Each structure stands twice: as structure tokens, then as C-alpha cells.
Amino acid sequence: MPPVSESLSKCETCNKVFAERQTLIQHLKSHSANNKFTCDLCDKSYTKRHGLLRHARTHTGERPFTCEKCTSTFVRRDVLASHQRRALGLNPFRSVKFVKKFLQKHSLIQHLKSHSPSNKYKCESCDKTYTRKHGLMRHLRSHTGEEPFSCETCPSTFTRKDVLLRHQRRCALGGK
């Protein structure tokens, strides 16, 4: 496995920066010689077949999970489940202290952390604060204009990965 940089959780192989060390460690597996499953279209490789199948959907636009109520489609089953909870008004995770409801447990945990005075990341430019380094790093791109996420199909670039993925779904279908 490639070396892990101690500062900013940066991959020494491809220079991608990660907010959390655990995400970097997971990413490093993408550079491993143990990756047996390789995409024929872009040469990305995965240690598990499931990873390759999920990735292939970025090229095909396949969205195999359909909501029975509104016919919206999704790439992943867990995203469909979250959509269905939201549509039904189910918010099973509640913040007792702040009377706020969340669809997912991890969202509640992140919310609770936002009220903690410790573990804050502060922007030097505008004094906004974030509970996670990832949030601050994403915000910093609003000041620098950096667009580190590039479409493999067209020359478009983006400041956020989620926006790139949404674009790639449309781009794979021929639209931009």
C-alpha cells in the first residue's frame, strides 16, 4: 500500500487530499496491486467485484433501485431507503437537546458534534467553523476557486465530488 502522509491526509501517489485519515486509508486500496477488478472504460480498479459493478453505473447511467411511490430511480439501495424515509416523513433519529429530526443516525451524530465547542475547524478567511476537516476543506475551495473533480467524459470540472457524480450521470446519457 502507498505511504500515508501525516499532514492533511494526503495520498502520496495521486495527491488527493482527504478530510479524514480513515477515508484516505480506504482510498489507498485503489492504488493496490491486489485490485483484481478493472473497469474497461477508465482503468479504475477495485479489490471487490461489487466495487467495480457500482463504479460501472457512472458510465452507464444505470439506476436499478426504483421508488414504488414516485418512480424516482437511484444508483444505490441505501439512497433509495433514505429517499423513502424522507418521502414518508419518517425521521427516526432525533436530537433530544435541540428538537431536530434526522433521517439517518450519522446525520444526528454530526449535528450533535456541531454544537460541541471542541473539534472545530475554522476558516482563516471568513471565520466560518466546521465540525469536520472535510467540511472546512470543501469550504476553502469557495475562496480558492479550485475545482479538483474532473469529468472523465468531457472537460468539465467541479469543486465538489457530489456535483461531479450528478454531472457524470447526465454526461453518460449524452447530456451535460
Side-chain angles (χ1 to χ4, degrees):
M1 192 178 307
V4 175
S5 169
E6 294 303 317
S7 63
L8 298 175
S9 299
K10 181 178 177 183
C11 175
E12 298 295 329
T13 304
C14 68
N15 293 323
K16 280 190 177 181
V17 179
F18 297 88
E20 296 165 356
R21 186 172 174 78
Q22 192 57 41
T23 308
L24 169 62
I25 291 169
Q26 187 67 30
H27 163 79
L28 291 174
K29 293 177 184 175
S30 71
H31 298 299
S32 170
N34 296 331
N35 292 350
K36 299 179 247 176
F37 303 97
T38 304
C39 177
D40 295 333
L41 298 173
C42 70
D43 292 329
K44 285 193 177 184
S45 60
Y46 298 85
T47 55
K48 297 181 180 168
R49 184 173 181 269
H50 174 74
L52 175 61
L53 293 174
R54 180 182 281 181
H55 164 77
R57 293 179 188 146
T58 66
H59 297 297
T60 64
E62 178 189 12
R63 298 168 71 83
F65 305 102
T66 304
C67 177
E68 296 173 359
K69 300 278 185 197
C70 71
T71 68
S72 291
T73 59
F74 302 89
V75 172
R76 295 184 352 221
R77 185 184 322 271
D78 62 317
V79 179
L80 167 62
S82 180
H83 161 81
Q84 289 172 327
R85 284 193 302 269
R86 189 179 309 109
L88 294 173
L90 300 177
N91 296 298
F93 304 102
R94 296 174 188 223
S95 169
V96 176
K97 188 174 180 181
F98 302 103
V99 195
K100 192 164 181 172
K101 300 174 185 176
F102 299 89
L103 292 169
Q104 298 170 332
K105 184 178 180 181
H106 77 271
S107 298
L108 168 62
I109 292 167
Q110 288 305 315
H111 167 75
L112 292 173
K113 285 182 181 178
S114 75
H115 293 285
S116 169
S118 63
N119 203 22
K120 293 275 185 175
Y121 295 92
K122 186 176 179 180
C123 176
E124 300 288 327
S125 299
C126 69
D127 294 333
K128 283 193 175 187
T129 59
Y130 296 86
T131 57
R132 297 186 309 163
K133 187 165 43 169
H134 170 77
L136 173 60
M137 292 173 68
R138 188 164 102 170
H139 165 75
L140 288 175
R141 290 195 290 268
S142 72
H143 295 297
T144 65
E146 178 191 13
E147 294 184 326
F149 303 103
S150 302
C151 181
E152 297 167 350
T153 309
C154 77
S156 297
T157 58
F158 303 90
T159 58
R160 293 176 27 189
K161 188 172 183 177
D162 62 318
V163 177
L164 166 66
L165 294 174
R166 188 172 54 235
H167 163 82
Q168 284 179 323
R169 283 195 300 270
R170 288 186 302 235
C171 201
L173 296 172
K176 289 188 182 177

